[in-house]
């Protein structure tokens, strides 16, 4: 009986999650859409647990939907901000190996970068080395790396962030 009630609850309220994503401008084509749906559903459950009234009464049902929609929207906005911060941090790695940046560098600078590549790898943990090799040498995306190594995209993003932090001192050396 309890499982049936949970199914009914999600059947009725899942539209709040999709509505909040739409309100935040997140389309199904967004690479993080599925992750954001899960965050929305988890938030929906948390809101249900916190809501003090009985949802069987019509008055409270509508109060709950408005309250839950707002909480889900805020959770999605927070997550989108986190994604933006991660993206900004990750740019330090991509600046090293960006195709456009490589084409603008002179041959000596490319030679220096590739001479430093083994030293860069030495600074990294094994998973971070996997990330750097896959992105630089094999030109794989985060999703492709996750599939190839049978890990989540979140794990690959963690490798990427740690790699960017550890290699930031190389950028300072190359700029000077």
């Amino acid at each position: 009986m309890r499982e049936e009630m949970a199914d009914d609850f999600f059947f009725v309220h899942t539209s709040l999650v999709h509505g909040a994503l739409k309100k935040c401008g997140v389309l199904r084509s967004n690479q993080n859409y599925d992750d954001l749906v899960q965050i929305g559903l988890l938030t929906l459950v948390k809101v249900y647990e916190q809501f003090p009234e009985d949802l069987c009464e019509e008055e409270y049902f509508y109060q709950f939907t408005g309250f839950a929609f707002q909480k889900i929207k805020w959770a999605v906005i927070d997550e989108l901000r986190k994604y933006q911060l991660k993206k900004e941090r990750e740019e330090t790695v991509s600046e090293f190996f960006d195709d456009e940046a490589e084409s603008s560098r002179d041959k000596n600078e490319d030679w220096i970068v590739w001479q430093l590549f083994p030293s860069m790898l030495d600074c990294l943990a094994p998973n971070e080395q996997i990330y750097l090799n896959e992105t630089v040498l094999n030109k794989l995306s985060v999703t492709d790396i996750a599939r190839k190594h049978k890990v989540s995209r979140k794990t690959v993003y963690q490798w990427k962030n740690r790699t960017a932090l550890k290699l930031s001192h190389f950028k300072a050396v190359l700029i000077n």
Side-chain angles (χ1 to χ4, degrees):
M1 182 69 170
R2 202 165 232 198
E3 190 175 316
E4 223 175 83
M5 289 176 61
D7 290 342
D8 288 345
F9 175 80
F10 283 111
F11 179 77
V12 170
H13 292 95
T14 300
S15 61
L16 292 173
V17 173
H18 295 285
L21 290 172
K22 185 175 180 181
K23 185 76 170 176
C24 293
V26 178
L27 304 176
R28 289 186 190 271
S29 60
N30 185 309
Q31 68 179 4
N32 298 315
Y33 187 82
D34 292 334
D35 296 337
L36 291 169
V37 168
Q38 290 302 314
I39 288 167
L41 290 172
L42 290 171
T43 304
L44 178 64
V45 171
K46 286 179 191 172
V47 169
Y48 173 74
E49 291 171 349
Q50 294 172 350
F51 197 72
E53 305 298 336
D54 182 15
L55 295 184
C56 294
E57 295 181 34
E58 188 175 342
E59 173 187 352
Y60 298 127
F61 177 83
Y62 291 111
Q63 285 179 2
F64 173 78
T65 56
F67 178 68
F69 179 84
Q70 191 63 41
K71 288 283 196 175
I72 294 166
K73 186 174 122 184
W74 290 340
V76 168
I77 289 171
D78 285 345
E79 198 63 26
L80 290 171
R81 286 181 183 144
K82 288 178 189 175
Y83 289 147
Q84 184 62 34
L85 287 172
K86 284 181 185 179
K87 183 179 176 184
E88 290 170 4
R89 280 189 232 131
E90 292 162 1
E91 287 175 358
T92 57
V93 170
S94 63
E95 286 176 12
F96 273 134
F97 303 106
D98 189 3
D99 290 339
E100 295 172 358
E102 283 184 27
S103 65
S104 67
R105 287 191 209 127
D106 64 10
K107 300 263 188 224
N108 285 338
E109 204 169 320
D110 281 343
W111 181 81
I112 292 170
V113 169
W114 288 110
Q115 289 297 314
L116 289 174
F117 192 74
S119 299
M120 291 177 184
L121 288 174
D122 289 341
C123 295
L124 303 174
N127 290 333
E128 296 158 358
Q129 291 176 1
I130 289 170
Y131 169 76
L132 192 61
N133 280 322
E134 296 292 9
T135 55
V136 174
L137 302 177
N138 299 332
K139 307 281 190 218
L140 294 181
S141 69
V142 169
T143 303
D144 294 334
I145 295 169
R147 282 190 195 126
K148 182 175 177 180
H149 295 279
K150 295 178 177 39
V151 296
S152 69
R153 287 190 343 232
K154 183 177 180 180
T155 299
V156 177
Y157 278 116
Q158 289 172 346
W159 297 349
K160 189 174 185 179
N161 290 338
R162 288 193 303 256
T163 301
L165 287 173
K166 290 180 180 178
L167 296 182
S168 62
H169 68 278
F170 282 96
K171 181 179 178 184
V173 169
L174 290 172
I175 291 174
N176 293 332

